[in-house]
Amino acid sequence: MNLENLSFIDDGINYFTNISWFFQYSRIYALIGDTTVNVFLRTLCRLLPVTGGVINNAHNEKIAFFLNDMKFLDDLNIYEILEIVSNNNFAKEKIDNWLSQLDLLEDSKTKIKKCLPCQLKKLGILCTLVENSKIIIIEDVFKDLLASDIDKVKEIFMDLRNTGYLIILSGRVKDDFLYFADNILELEKGSLNEIL
């Protein structure tokens, strides 16, 4: 995914200007910075139209994403959500394996309205996996997760990276991504820079 001179201005606010970057497959990118990061991710997901520049996706690959303001239908359970999102892309055994990795298998029949924030975050992460896309974007990836969940999530994403996925994750501080992300980028004051 190649960004060429990407800019976004809304209501007189210049969120970012002339950002150019090439996101490669088989890599994990961590994105930290100010509130501009949230806007930037939404332009990558095509939820907000850029006001300048282009986003080139050579293979027109769809993007699987989970953002902070996304919600699930309260009356469905965890497994029903994954079945709907998966659209039969994966066998039940594969979905069960991912549920097991994130300690959700026993809770898979729990209604969304009864789920804890950590369960909802793990479900959001799983939804990006079952969409069968090679590009994954997750906002505040570790937010609401328990400490015991973080290494499991990292392991899943490292496995996906090793099979050719492009993964873009945002977070609060760079230390969360040390020894895990291939590139750590900072978006501050409208400028994107590699810091590690």
Side-chain angles (χ1 to χ4, degrees):
M1 183 163 58
N2 189 30
L3 314 183
E4 297 180 10
N5 299 315
L6 214 62
S7 299
F8 184 80
I9 302 169
D10 185 53
D11 201 22
I13 301 172
N14 191 344
Y15 286 91
F16 50 84
T17 305
N18 296 327
I19 289 180
S20 295
W21 189 269
F22 180 59
F23 290 101
Q24 301 177 58
Y25 286 89
S26 300
R27 295 190 79 76
I28 296 172
Y29 294 88
L31 186 59
I32 62 171
D34 56 27
T35 55
T36 306
V37 171
N38 303 338
V39 175
F40 182 68
L41 291 180
R42 282 156 180 76
T43 61
L44 296 185
C45 297
R46 313 278 181 156
L47 298 176
L48 292 174
V50 294
T51 51
V54 292
I55 302 171
N56 290 316
N57 186 351
H59 306 291
N60 290 320
E61 180 86 50
K62 73 173 184 175
I63 297 172
F65 57 87
F66 186 68
L67 305 173
N68 288 343
D69 50 5
M70 297 175 75
K71 306 291 182 193
F72 301 107
L73 295 173
D74 280 350
D75 290 329
L76 297 179
N77 65 42
I78 289 173
Y79 204 90
E80 288 169 333
I81 295 285
L82 291 173
E83 282 184 315
I84 292 168
V85 174
S86 170
N87 197 25
N88 299 316
N89 285 324
F90 291 96
K92 181 180 184 299
E93 293 76 19
K94 182 64 174 175
I95 294 175
D96 285 351
N97 181 54
W98 277 327
L99 284 164
S100 180
Q101 277 185 274
L102 291 183
D103 297 325
L104 281 179
L105 189 58
E106 290 184 9
D107 301 317
S108 62
K109 300 302 182 186
T110 302
K111 296 284 188 185
I112 296 302
K113 59 188 170 187
K114 294 187 177 178
C115 285
L116 300 170
C118 63
Q119 293 174 311
L120 294 175
K121 188 56 176 258
K122 290 189 283 187
L123 174 57
I125 290 169
L126 288 175
C127 283
T128 67
L129 307 187
V130 301
E131 278 195 57
N132 199 27
S133 168
K134 286 284 190 174
I135 302 176
I136 292 175
I137 295 176
I138 300 179
E139 183 177 16
D140 286 328
V141 63
F142 301 131
K143 181 184 177 187
D144 294 326
L145 292 181
L146 303 177
S148 57
D149 296 325
I150 291 175
D151 284 341
K152 296 169 187 174
V153 167
K154 287 181 176 180
E155 185 177 330
I156 287 174
F157 284 128
M158 287 189 289
D159 288 344
L160 293 175
R161 175 198 54 202
N162 295 339
T163 57
Y165 281 67
L166 160 58
I167 300 163
I168 302 172
L169 309 170
S170 78
R172 303 295 177 170
V173 293
K174 73 176 182 181
D175 289 357
D176 292 341
F177 298 101
L178 295 176
Y179 314 110
F180 164 58
D182 298 293
N183 299 80
I184 300 179
L185 310 176
E186 184 177 47
L187 183 56
E188 286 278 357
K189 298 178 181 177
S191 179
L192 184 67
N193 298 293
E194 184 172 14
I195 59 174
L196 199 64

